[in-house]
Amino acid sequence: MNLNVLQKAFGTCIFCFLIFACKKAGSVEDKSQPPVTVERFNINAKLVTPNPSPEANKLYQFLRENYGKKILSGVMTLNSFDETNWLKANTGKEPAIIGLDFMHCNRGYTWYDDKTPIKDAKSYWLRNGIPVMVWHWRDPLRTTEEFYSNKTTFDISKINDPQSAEYKAMLNDIDYVAGLLKELQKDNVPVIWRPLHEAAGTWFWWGAKGAAPCKKLYQLMYDRMVNYHKLNNLIWVWTREPNDDAWYPGDEYVDIVGRDIYKQGDHTSQLAEFNALTSLYGNKKMVTISECGSMPDVDNLTKDAAAWSWFMPWYGDFVRSGTNNSLDLWKKMFASNYVITLDEMPSLKNQ
């Protein structure tokens, strides 16, 4: 199947720091399965993490209970609350989910506070919002500040050699991020955790050497975070690319399957993608639009019964430019009874 790649626009951060752009797949993964109806869902009742925190379990059960009934709104941010504030100012509402990134953490940047993502996650959670966290993981050896496979030669295949500098560097970075996530655990904040995203696209170093080392790294990260660091506040998401069966870490490591869809101006429900993923994972994993350029129109979602758990447009022009999502569409989405916004979120705290 041909893979049409869409590269995100670059943005400029403080001190003229060049912000990343993710490449995206635009192909539809249609396995020619029959239409999926809500009655067919048999979503796993438990998280893959043993003895999850009460808050993580409450959050997962909330997602599970709303699956097929409503969709949660989300937005990715670059700087603290930039897009949620813009949406509030222009629509009167904010999304239920905020997207955050560990991209700048543990790099020694003098202009950046490494605690920013966890501070933002806690702040939104205290307002009943849901943090979704991703990690654009820069070269662990620090020979570059890059994560794209065409800009760094970092060799993930060294995951097979525990004595290698690369292995030790990856482990050190995992331990650092685990420490940040542990601070959220201490504050009773659950996190929807989406590591090693879009791996099979091969545009990131974690996908550059094929399925086996990436799969092993994901499993190592899970083991290190859950069993060694005793993190129990994470809901684990695998971000699928077309035809990445060999990359999938396994049902025992994944709670939810995400799909990043970038098709400018396409506000369809992405029903073919939804049906294919639902069937592929045996109707047992919730599936979600973990990133998108143009979000699906709520009318199409309800008409097609495409029961994605949430949608999350990327930051910047993907949120604010009418070529991707018009302000009228944002207002329509946020006004719909089918779309959950921040003001409609219940408290999922363990009270």
Side-chain angles (χ1 to χ4, degrees), residues 7 12 36 61 64 71 81 89 119 164 166 185 250 268 279 287 289 297 307 313 334:
Q7 183 166 1
T12 302
V36 176
Q61 298 308 327
R64 187 167 172 264
I71 192 169
F81 311 112
K119 288 177 181 176
S164 68
E166 290 86 351
Q185 178 172 277
T268 64
S279 298
V287 297
I289 301 178
D297 189 306
F334 282 0

Side-chain angles (χ1 to χ4, degrees), residues 127-159:
R127 299 179 61 209
N128 297 335
I130 301 170
V132 171
M133 308 195 84
V134 69
W135 186 10
H136 283 86
W137 188 353
R138 302 182 189 275
D139 178 357
L141 282 179
R142 287 155 176 76
T143 55
T144 72
E145 294 301 309
E146 304 293 343
F147 36 75
Y148 282 123
S149 54
N150 64 352
K151 294 183 178 180
T152 176
T153 58
F154 183 81
D155 188 357
I156 185 182
S157 69
K158 296 294 186 179
I159 194 70

Side-chain angles (χ1 to χ4, degrees), residues 4-273:
N4 298 319
V5 177
L6 176 65
Q7 183 166 1
K8 286 183 188 157
F10 279 78
T12 302
C13 190
I14 55 179
F15 289 86
C16 297
F17 187 84
L18 190 61
I19 298 304
F20 66 96
C22 290
K23 295 179 182 177
K24 303 298 170 187
S27 56
V28 175
E29 186 169 15
D30 188 352
K31 301 291 186 178
S32 299
Q33 298 291 339
V36 176
T37 60
V38 173
E39 290 74 18
R40 292 184 61 194
F41 298 150
N42 184 28
I43 304 302
N44 291 333
K46 295 181 179 180
L47 289 165
V48 295
T49 300
N51 302 310
S53 71
E55 293 80 15
N57 185 58
K58 279 191 173 184
L59 173 53
Y60 181 73
Q61 298 308 327
F62 174 78
L63 296 175
R64 187 167 172 264
E65 289 161 8
N66 280 280
Y67 195 61
K69 300 175 184 176
K70 294 190 175 185
I71 192 169
L72 283 89
S73 57
V75 72
M76 188 67 195
T77 58
L78 174 61
N79 300 309
S80 299
F81 311 112
D82 48 4
E83 305 304 349
T84 60
N85 288 341
W86 186 88
L87 287 168
K88 176 70 172 180
N90 286 276
T91 71
K93 292 195 174 189
E94 297 159 279
I97 291 174
I98 187 171
L100 304 165
D101 200 333
F102 285 124
M103 175 175 60
H104 300 321
C105 294
N106 197 28
R107 306 302 295 192
Y109 299 147
T110 58
W111 48 266
Y112 187 74
D113 177 3
D114 279 12
K115 299 294 182 69
T116 297
I118 61 172
K119 288 177 181 176
D120 292 351
K122 182 179 179 181
S123 177
Y124 220 62
W125 172 254
L126 290 176
R127 299 179 61 209
N128 297 335
I130 301 170
V132 171
M133 308 195 84
V134 69
W135 186 10
H136 283 86
W137 188 353
R138 302 182 189 275
D139 178 357
L141 282 179
R142 287 155 176 76
T143 55
T144 72
E145 294 301 309
E146 304 293 343
F147 36 75
Y148 282 123
S149 54
N150 64 352
K151 294 183 178 180
T152 176
T153 58
F154 183 81
D155 188 357
I156 185 182
S157 69
K158 296 294 186 179
I159 194 70
N160 296 306
D161 180 7
Q163 301 307 314
S164 68
E166 290 86 351
Y167 183 98
K168 293 174 183 177
M170 285 185 277
L171 203 63
N172 286 338
D173 279 357
I174 290 171
D175 287 347
Y176 187 87
V177 168
L180 294 176
L181 292 168
K182 190 172 289 186
E183 292 189 37
L184 289 175
Q185 178 172 277
K186 290 176 182 175
D187 288 334
N188 303 312
V189 179
V191 173
I192 297 178
W193 176 227
R194 199 166 68 89
L196 306 183
H197 63 296
E198 303 171 8
T202 71
W203 40 79
F204 296 126
W205 63 255
W206 52 86
K209 299 293 184 178
C214 180
K215 183 175 179 178
K216 187 167 184 177
L217 177 57
Y218 189 106
Q219 294 171 347
L220 171 69
M221 183 186 293
Y222 175 92
D223 179 67
R224 190 75 176 177
M225 287 186 168
V226 173
N227 298 318
Y228 181 82
H229 289 290
K230 306 301 181 184
L231 286 169
N232 67 352
N233 63 325
L234 306 181
I235 297 174
W236 290 77
V237 178
W238 172 250
T239 309
R240 180 175 172 85
E241 287 292 312
N243 304 310
D244 74 350
D245 294 13
W247 304 68
Y248 183 59
D251 285 349
E252 66 271 34
Y253 299 98
V254 175
D255 294 303
I256 297 171
V257 175
R259 182 77 172 95
D260 294 357
I261 303 173
Y262 283 80
K263 300 176 183 177
Q264 184 173 306
D266 183 354
H267 301 292
T268 64
S269 69
Q270 309 299 336
L271 181 62
E273 295 269 13

